[in-house]
Amino acid sequence: MSEEQFRRLLQSFIKAGGTSLRLWLCSIEPEDDVPQLQNECEQQIVSSECTTRITLGFVTITVEGFIRLIDYVTRCGQSVKCYLHHTTLKSNSAAEQPVLPMLGPQPISADYTTELELSRIKMSTEQMCQIIGRMNQLNHSVTLRLFGCTEISDEYNPLRNKMVPPPNTSLNYTKHITIEFMAISETLCLYVASSAIYYGYTCEISRCDILPSEVPHAGNLHFPQMAAIHSPAQTAKLRFHEASILQHVVERLAHQAAVSAHLVECVLDTCSVWPPPDVWSLKEKMEEDPAIQIEEFEPNNDEIRSWRPDILKIGQIWNIRFKTTAKKSALAESTAEKPEVTK
């Protein structure tokens, strides 16, 4: 079917509310002058009990159509559970570069939620970060799950983009992101964790191998300006479970939490922290910042039935738990921009 036909089919099911749409083994073909989906969002009050379920399996769609689909189901003003499995993303030869819609005004809703699950899909680092960036800007409860997806590394560095708070910030919603059974770049890991820290939601990365990124980003990890304009009351909660993670990634996560001046709780449960063996030096670096409170930092010597025995080896597995307070740390003050002095 064409993208226009798919768009109208999707709209009819969501507007009906409480329905289920299942598409399997379909190809959604691009068209010229496809309308932007945000223009179809209606400002209306809807019931949170009226949930539409959308399931797409083994569907081929363009990258632009894929992003437009995610934009629509997350911003239609109704509760939607969307499951996208084994979706094949293809480039549109008619477009020189992806023309992705910008987020427009949020629909008015008394209470609605979005659940989005992406499973067994090949996406670039840029595409994954764009999806997470859109999640950051939504002003309602959202759950995002990436399961068994393949990240195609590119030179895109999302940390160059300035994080800004969503419009009409409300504390009446929750956001949660889960990444499972994936090999992810440290760029994606740090972008997800930074989003959770600064927007005050929960993040769980389980059974993942966090790989070093070739893209330099050390200078793009500081967002002290966020603390002044957006300090969520919720505690940001990060959990890494049976994951392989680099020491300098843990250090940068701790640094991000400290300079954010937000309440942050971070747990590394049964994780391989490498390179070994000098992991204790990581603890010493974290203890230098008074904003970081280490609650646990011990090797895990228990017998573990690991999903990846090659990365979770006895003697290299750690349990680490730390938190940060909402007070600005000395490190944050030193990295904050100093006011300009004029004569």
Side-chain angles (χ1 to χ4, degrees), residues 197-246:
I197 290 171
Y198 283 102
Y199 295 104
Y201 56 82
T202 60
C203 169
E204 181 170 348
I205 299 179
S206 298
R207 297 176 176 88
C208 289
D209 192 3
I210 300 170
L211 305 175
S213 296
E214 297 180 359
V215 179
H217 52 265
N220 301 311
L221 293 178
H222 311 302
F223 302 95
Q225 72 276 9
M226 285 293 295
I229 60 178
H230 182 57
S231 296
Q234 301 98 327
T235 299
K237 296 182 179 181
L238 310 177
R239 181 173 184 257
F240 296 81
H241 176 65
E242 290 189 12
S244 173
I245 187 168
L246 297 149

Side-chain angles (χ1 to χ4, degrees), residues 40 43 46 76 99 159 167 177-178 198 218 233 241 254 280 317 342:
E40 302 292 336
Q43 304 283 329
V46 296
C76 62
V99 181
L159 300 176
I177 180 170
T178 301
Y198 283 102
H241 176 65
W280 291 110
I317 305 172
T342 58

Side-chain angles (χ1 to χ4, degrees), residues 41 107 156 176 186 188 216 259 273 282 292 302 308 334 338:
C41 294
Y156 177 73
H176 182 77
E186 63 175 288
L188 177 60
V259 300
V273 182
L282 172 62
I292 300 174
D302 297 335
R308 285 281 305 274
S334 65
K338 297 181 179 179

